[in-house]
Amino acid sequence: MVERSSSSCPHSHSYRAVIDALQGWDPTHGSVYYYNPSSATDEWIFTRETVIRIGNHLFAK
């Protein structure tokens, strides 16, 4: 195992995402699954109710 360290600081968007999450904002609207439909191989995931798409991922219940 190789340890890697980074000297870069987190981007301000990362801080904003943490603050939003701590305040209860959930952009997935309570989804419990997420997947990339282009690479998902198990048909079961496609039976879940899609709630929202964020980027290349679908979030589902």
Side-chain angles (χ1 to χ4, degrees):
M1 186 168 153
V2 176
E3 277 192 48
R4 296 178 189 220
S5 63
S6 175
S7 61
S8 65
C9 293
H11 193 277
S12 62
H13 293 279
S14 300
Y15 285 111
R16 183 76 246 166
V18 169
I19 291 167
D20 288 343
L22 290 172
Q23 292 177 343
W25 184 62
D26 177 11
T28 71
H29 307 287
S31 295
V32 292
Y33 308 106
Y34 72 95
Y35 63 98
N36 184 326
S38 298
S39 61
T41 58
D42 192 326
E43 290 296 319
W44 174 85
I45 195 65
F46 296 106
T47 68
R48 306 293 87 200
E49 173 192 353
T50 299
V51 176
I52 191 169
R53 175 185 288 272
I54 300 176
N56 294 328
H57 290 87
L58 295 179
F59 291 77
K61 290 184 177 180

